Amino acid sequence: MPASDTTVSAPPCPEPRTDLVVTDAPMPADIAVISDALDRFNIEKTGVDDRRPLAVLVRDPETHQVIGGLTGRTSLGLFFVDLFFLPPALRGSGLGGEILRQAEDEARARGCRAAVLYTITFQAPGFYRKQGWKRLGEIPCDPPGTSRVFMTKELAAQTGNRVRSGNGANVA
């Protein structure tokens, strides 16, 4: 029988052998494995190795314990705000705006062009709007009537000690 008349099927590819674990308490070392592997992949694809954490911490002046602040990260020209909290007694004093300004300034110094975050409708979308952030979109979540609000802000290019605004004007 000619070779063209025979049907040869390839052996089935075995699925990779893995164990899947669903957990609400991943170990920090497990998270680091995933984060580091993704970071190496991104560096391999982009040639850019710039992922860094960013935090502005608020410490109690007497105990020096952290009582609030902002955490996030910078990567590939973006600043991500992950967490931002101030105790109620410190809200409304301008401290929140100063924390955000310092974080944005550090992100600019790291070369970030834009920033992104999400907040929840009962948290602080109005605060972020006052700081120049714009709404990207909204996704309903629980409880009913509540949404996660995704926001962004362009970070103007810095020139020396002056910041160039989006319209080209210099601001001290």
Side-chain angles (χ1 to χ4, degrees):
M1 174 186 317
S4 62
D5 290 343
T6 60
T7 305
V8 178
S9 60
C13 292
E15 291 186 29
R17 181 95 177 119
T18 59
D19 293 327
L20 300 178
V21 178
V22 175
T23 180
D24 64 352
M27 301 297 293
D30 296 336
I31 294 169
V33 166
I34 297 165
S35 179
D36 293 347
L38 181 58
D39 193 39
R40 284 190 306 276
F41 176 83
N42 290 346
I43 292 166
E44 181 181 298
K45 293 297 181 187
T46 66
V48 177
D49 182 4
D50 69 346
R51 181 183 75 156
R52 290 172 54 195
L54 193 160
V56 179
L57 306 176
V58 178
R59 294 186 187 273
D60 180 281
E62 293 177 15
T63 66
H64 304 289
Q65 296 296 310
V66 173
I67 58 172
L70 176 150
T71 65
R73 64 198 183 285
T74 57
S75 177
L76 300 175
L78 294 176
F79 167 41
F80 298 88
V81 175
D82 293 328
L83 302 170
F84 192 175
F85 174 80
L86 279 178
L90 297 177
R91 297 176 193 164
S93 67
L95 181 60
E98 178 61 16
I99 291 168
L100 195 55
R101 185 195 62 75
Q102 286 188 24
E104 291 169 3
D105 286 350
E106 176 61 21
R108 280 185 199 92
R110 295 180 185 189
C112 293
R113 295 182 308 270
V116 294
L117 63 79
Y118 76 80
T119 186
I120 302 174
T121 49
F122 61 79
Q123 288 178 338
F127 164 77
Y128 291 111
R129 273 192 297 279
K130 288 178 190 173
Q131 308 304 316
W133 290 69
K134 302 208 180 318
R135 181 184 168 280
L136 269 176
E138 208 168 301
I139 299 176
C141 63
D142 288 331
T146 303
S147 295
R148 293 199 186 257
V149 180
F150 294 82
M151 303 184 85
T152 188
K153 182 176 184 179
E154 284 190 41
L155 301 177
Q158 271 190 324
T159 55
N161 289 336
R162 300 182 69 75
V163 176
R164 193 176 68 229
S165 70
N167 64 10
N170 285 328
V171 181

